Amino acid sequence: MADPHFQSELDRLDWLTVILYRGALTLSAAIMSIIAWEASFATPALVIAALIAANTVHIYDKRFRLLIVGSSLFSAIWLITGLWNPLALGAALFTFSALAIKEYFCFQLKVLMLTPLALAGFWFCQVFGQSQISIAFSMAGSILLAVAAFSKWRMPIHYDIGDKSRYQI
């Protein structure tokens, strides 16, 4: 997570990764608004959005970065194998839950801490066939991810990058 008070010299790759991250966060909010009705389309779309977001997020600590990227990669691999798509969906939702917690530390918006609960609630309802209840959780998750995305888009680009010398390799 970057320091907003520090402004590094940004190159085109920095700009691209920040825009891709913010776009993937926005896309995830849109996907969550339809996933309860269009799971066959929305699950692969959410996995793709998770891959993009996880691979373009700027986090100093490599352990957290590896956890986020690893869950999105697991999601993609599991989706490709086709063994049980709900597990791929769960890993993608875990990715966005971790990103929401990261954004909580960035913005100090306490409501973002509810995102993992909403996304986990949606997943459990989907797995256990509670489609009506899953709609409420998907809408809550959509709104919470939209809050995070909206907050990100309001910030200057350099806030996402911070001090490049502090990134662990």
Side-chain angles (χ1 to χ4, degrees):
M1 193 164 53
D3 179 3
H5 305 320
F6 191 90
Q7 186 168 355
S8 292
E9 183 69 30
L10 303 182
D11 58 23
R12 289 184 179 170
L13 188 57
D14 294 328
W15 280 84
L16 178 64
T17 57
V18 170
I19 290 169
L20 284 173
Y21 173 71
R22 292 177 181 190
L25 202 55
T26 305
L27 182 61
S28 71
I31 293 168
M32 283 304 297
S33 71
I34 64 165
I35 197 166
W37 297 280
E38 294 292 333
S40 62
F41 162 76
T43 298
L46 195 65
V47 168
I48 291 167
L51 275 170
I52 293 169
N55 285 289
T56 56
V57 67
H58 295 91
I59 299 178
Y60 294 140
D61 193 319
K62 64 184 173 185
R63 296 169 299 171
F64 294 114
R65 194 171 53 246
L66 181 62
L67 177 69
I68 293 169
V69 170
S71 65
S72 69
L73 287 174
F74 176 83
S75 176
I77 291 167
W78 202 261
L79 184 70
I80 291 168
T81 64
L83 294 175
W84 193 55
N85 282 354
L87 189 56
L89 174 62
L93 293 172
F94 177 84
T95 299
F96 284 111
S97 294
L99 292 173
I101 291 170
K102 176 243 183 239
E103 297 307 339
Y104 161 74
F105 287 109
C106 183
F107 298 114
Q108 295 299 308
L109 291 173
K110 292 186 191 266
V111 71
L112 292 179
M113 293 299 281
L114 295 175
T115 307
L117 296 174
L119 298 181
F122 168 75
W123 187 81
F124 279 107
C125 287
Q126 284 291 103
V127 168
F128 294 110
Q130 301 298 316
S131 59
Q132 297 295 19
I133 301 170
S134 75
I135 293 169
F137 281 114
S138 72
M139 289 297 112
S142 176
I143 291 167
L144 291 166
L145 289 169
V147 166
F150 179 74
S151 298
K152 289 304 276 186
W153 284 110
R154 290 182 40 216
M155 293 177 15
I157 296 287
H158 76 272
Y159 278 29
D160 281 30
I161 304 294
D163 184 358
K164 289 183 179 183
S165 68
R166 292 189 52 205
Y167 286 98
Q168 298 174 2
I169 297 176

